[in-house]
Amino acid sequence: NKKALQTFCFFVSPVGATMALLVPDVYALDVSIFEPAVLMFYLSHGAIAAIYWNMGFQGFAEINWKGAAKAVAIAGILYIIMFGVNLVGQSCGIDSMNYFYSYKTDGNSLLEIFWSWIPVPGLYLAAPCIVIAAVWTSFVTLCAKLIKKIKQRG
C-alpha cells in the first residue's frame, strides 16, 4: 500500500535524519563543516526531514493513531530483519556489518548512552526506540490534529 509506505516514511525518516544531524558518526567530527562531504551529509539529512514533514502535512501520509501504529510496526519488523542480517554477517566474520546500528554502537555518542543502560546487542537500541517512537508518534499525531482543527476554524 502506497499510503502505508508514505506514512512510515513520514513518521520514521525525520527521526533518523534528526538523529544523524544532532549526533553524527565519529568520522564527521574530525573535519571542517565546510568540507563537501560534510556539507552534503548535513544538507541531505536536513532535506530528508523537511521533505517528509512537508509530505505528511500535505496529506500524503496517514497522520493518525492507526498510521502511527503501522509505522512503528513496520520499523520494528525492519529492525528485527536487519538484526538477523547482522547476526548472520557477524557469525560469518564480517565485523563491519551493522545495519540500523542494531548490533553495535560504532562510536555514536547517543547509542553509547543506550548501550550503558542495556548492554545487549539488538536490545540496547530497540528498548529506548520503543519509548522514543511512542512519544514521537504521539506528539506528531497530536500536532496534526491541532493543525487540522485550526484549519477548519479559519
Side-chain angles (χ1 to χ4, degrees):
N1 181 330
K2 190 175 174 182
K3 191 79 148 184
L5 179 60
Q6 291 168 333
T7 302
F8 168 76
C9 290
F10 171 76
F11 279 109
V12 176
S13 298
V15 176
T18 302
M19 184 183 127
L21 290 169
L22 296 177
V23 191
D25 284 338
V26 178
Y27 73 86
L29 300 177
D30 293 335
V31 296
S32 167
I33 192 168
F34 300 108
E35 292 283 330
V38 176
L39 283 173
M40 286 306 300
F41 171 84
Y42 283 104
L43 288 172
S44 63
H45 284 82
I48 289 168
I51 287 167
Y52 284 107
W53 269 96
N54 186 42
M55 282 180 63
F57 288 113
Q58 294 297 321
F60 290 100
E62 186 181 353
I63 309 172
N64 54 38
W65 300 113
K66 184 179 175 185
K70 284 181 194 176
V72 171
I74 292 169
I77 291 166
L78 290 174
Y79 184 81
I80 291 167
I81 291 169
M82 288 301 106
F83 183 67
V85 169
N86 290 336
L87 286 177
V88 169
Q90 295 288 327
S91 68
C92 292
I94 306 171
D95 246 6
S96 62
M97 192 168 276
N98 192 27
Y99 297 109
F100 285 17
Y101 295 97
S102 68
Y103 195 78
K104 55 189 173 185
T105 65
D106 282 345
N108 185 296
S109 58
L110 179 61
L111 300 182
E112 293 285 344
I113 292 169
F114 293 163
W115 182 265
S116 72
W117 297 340
I118 308 168
V120 178
L123 193 57
Y124 86 96
L125 184 57
C129 282
I130 290 169
V131 174
I132 292 167
V135 171
W136 173 251
T137 56
S138 296
F139 172 75
V140 170
T141 302
L142 290 171
C143 286
K145 288 182 178 292
L146 180 65
I147 289 169
K148 189 175 181 178
K149 281 186 180 182
I150 290 170
K151 284 182 178 179
Q152 287 174 346
R153 287 186 183 170

